[in-house]
Amino acid sequence: MLKRSSGTPTLEEVAALAGVGRGTVSRVINDASGVKASTRHAVQRAIDELGYVPNLAARSLAGRRAGAVALVMPKTDWRLFGEPFFSEIVGAVGDALSEAGVQLLLTLVRTDAERQRLVEYLRGGRVDGALLMSVRAEDRLPDMLADAGLPTVLLGRRSADERVTYVDADNVGGARAAVGHLVGGGRKTIAAITGPPEMYVAQCRLRGYREALSDAGLDELPSLVVQGDFTETSGQRAMAGLIERHPEIDGVFAASDSMAAGALAALHAAGRRVPQDVAVVGFDDFELAEQTEPPLTTVRQPMKEIGRTMVRLLLEEMEQPEVAWRHVILRTRLVVRESA
Amino acid sequence: MLKRSSGTPTLEEVAALAGVGRGTVSRVINDASGVKASTRHAVQRAIDELGYVPNLAARSLAGRRAGAVALVMPKTDWRLFGEPFFSEIVGAVGDALSEAGVQLLLTLVRTDAERQRLVEYLRGGRVDGALLMSVRAEDRLPDMLADAGLPTVLLGRRSADERVTYVDADNVGGARAAVGHLVGGGRKTIAAITGPPEMYVAQCRLRGYREALSDAGLDELPSLVVQGDFTETSGQRAMAGLIERHPEIDGVFAASDSMAAGALAALHAAGRRVPQDVAVVGFDDFELAEQTEPPLTTVRQPMKEIGRTMVRLLLEEMEQPEVAWRHVILRTRLVVRESA
DNA sequence: CTGAAAGCGCTAACAT
DNA sequence: ATGTTAGCGCTTTCAG
């Protein structure tokens, strides 16, 4: 960076103007105790007069915290940006960090070159920790960061055997509750529209479906399980196929709200009445679920809670590096929106 | 930040292992010329062996660039996240920065406390410059940063008299072209649905409308100009009112695509045929314009170009601080989508 | 309670 | 071509 040609005042200049030593100024700007009120005021006056702002590079070099954490997201998931999922998480993370006086930095990763630069950036001591969103199973970034000793927290896990600290929603339990709700409503033939099997979250939601069927003593028919990719279109297509093969279906569990919305569309198109003929439940509970006709019953993830928990874990690790990773699974909640 | 307990190797250790001085290592990691290939290799080997990553805080302290720039956006405009407007800009900015080897940091500002922290962060020498999006007229942030000597580039200007470097689209010219298109199509009674008058962009688009009318020798009827707030709902309401007062309207210029879509809805509701009875043109040209029925003719802003230009200006200012601010107004383009 | 001094890890100017 | 040296601005002992 171009030196602000003798422009920005330094701590030393403040000290000189205030007629104290630099140590004292340092204590004042760090709210350290043990400074006489009068000198504190004198220093503060000098700071204001000079418009002094501490140089953060120097500060972190000198051995304290960087005062910032990064929230990393793969650019492939940019669509997330517009979704409540993303904004709620970022909002919650931002709030929690804000309270802690930490600056939030969002970083996007797309190409390998960007990845490389990001790693150097993150490992370069300019952030105190990293929060990673929607990490793919094969992504090694979390390990690289964690191994480098950088406090790292994932949103969601990459596999059952995740070895980096993470926060996740109870996907199994949520799906189980959703399907349980269908069972409780007297549905006998319940289909599932799942997500990509290579995504752990999809596996979990499918497992929940199975467990619920098993709980209810219902048989699982393989042909009742169709794979989607979390998009609305895929849900629609999946449902259309299901209707054809299994006209007797009276309940559908979709592993995402978008797919549930798609399923709804396909059902309407096929002339089925919802929920009279077929009941549908989704997973995620974003605004989408309320906009459908009829509104969808869905499993809600506690976004705010997830964000705050991620920050809490991160701050704790920054405070006191943990030897082991930890994980937190947050409870989900079924939001029933049936007019039946 | 917790010191990575003697974990992370330093440049000095690399030098020792490679059996060279630190200056040499510095040259190698900075791709500086004038290092014998053999020693360069030796150093590289040491770097790999130790897993050395330069400490960025130290690097920026020592006087060079921070290697990062911030893209700041007010959190009030979060909705932008999902919009093509936002993602295209971020994409273009990211690409340009990526080529330059600079890390992009997105920062959100909401509360005053966050603002304050952001200023300290930005002025703290951890970024080489700042790009600001959708800044309100009354916002002093740009001046604070620019005055502090931090290279700063705005997307759009706050007023006619903007004193911070900015890149903007030719809003006047775009609106003029749009309305000119209506005139060319033989429309005689052309209404305008404008944006909030306190937003400079809205003023410019309104001015373009006026100039086009004037060019065509058409009179401007005050009651043909209605104010919206850029949302679809406001466009719909505005159009409904216009239809009532001026059933003879045969052309509509909306200062945003969303409002144009709203106007379209109102027209359909009123039984008007588009574009036979009434032609509508919008401004912005995001996907929305293609999804309406019929597709909207709109003024397209060159998002990619805007993003790249912002980065270019920023990098230039980083390279060589300008005494004066500069501005670039990019041409817009009318995208005609009329089946008439 | 406060001043002085010793670095943090790196770059850059100066020697060699 | 490469080693050496002097800081960058701050935090943090360690004295006083």
Side-chain angles (χ1 to χ4, degrees), chain B residues 285-301:
Chain B
D285 198 60
F286 300 135
E287 281 147 14
L288 180 60
E290 290 178 349
Q291 293 167 358
T292 56
E293 187 39 47
L296 278 167
T297 286
T298 61
V299 179
R300 170 175 288 166
Q301 304 189 61

Side-chain angles (χ1 to χ4, degrees), chain B residues 17 44-52:
Chain B
L17 180 59
Q44 192 56 55
R45 181 161 26 251
I47 288 176
D48 294 341
E49 184 164 333
L50 264 38
Y52 169 75

Side-chain angles (χ1 to χ4, degrees), chain B residues 102-161:
Chain B
V102 177
Q103 172 71 44
L104 171 62
L105 267 21
L106 297 175
T107 54
L108 309 170
V109 209
R110 196 174 25 178
T111 65
D112 278 340
E114 285 178 3
R115 267 179 95 69
Q116 190 49 42
R117 182 166 33 260
L118 179 67
V119 170
E120 297 195 356
Y121 186 85
L122 296 179
R123 292 190 54 185
R126 296 261 276 280
V127 297
D128 296 318
L131 299 168
L132 310 190
M133 289 184 71
S134 54
V135 179
R136 306 278 161 202
E138 68 281 5
D139 199 337
R140 311 315 303 161
L141 184 58
D143 308 286
M144 294 173 64
L145 298 177
D147 291 346
L150 186 75
T152 304
V153 177
L154 305 183
L155 169 44
R157 52 201 137 159
R158 290 169 294 174
S159 72
D161 183 38

Side-chain angles (χ1 to χ4, degrees), chain B residues 262-278:
Chain B
L264 225 47
L267 287 166
H268 286 151
R272 299 304 186 86
R273 290 176 313 154
V274 180
Q276 295 86 341
D277 297 347
V278 187

Side-chain angles (χ1 to χ4, degrees), chain A residues 1-2 65 95 110 318, chain B residues 1-2 65 95 110 318:
Chain A
M1 172 173 49
L2 286 305
R65 69 216 186 91
D95 286 347
R110 195 173 26 178
M318 282 161 52
Chain B
M1 174 172 46
L2 285 307
R65 70 216 186 88
D95 286 347
R110 196 174 25 178
M318 282 161 51

Side-chain angles (χ1 to χ4, degrees), chain A residues 2 4 70 127 131 158 187 200 207 215 241-242 250 263 286 312:
Chain A
L2 286 305
R4 314 241 185 54
V127 297
L131 299 168
R158 289 169 294 175
R187 311 294 169 169
Y200 189 69
R207 178 139 38 95
D215 288 348
L242 281 166
D250 57 3
F286 300 137
R312 182 171 58 75

Side-chain angles (χ1 to χ4, degrees), chain B residues 11 23 62 66 76 89 94-95 114 118 199 212 221 245 274 304 331:
Chain B
L11 177 147
T76 43
I89 287 290
D95 286 347
E114 285 178 3
L118 179 67
M199 293 184 68
L221 220 60
R245 283 203 305 284
V274 180
K304 294 241 186 333
R331 223 181 299 280

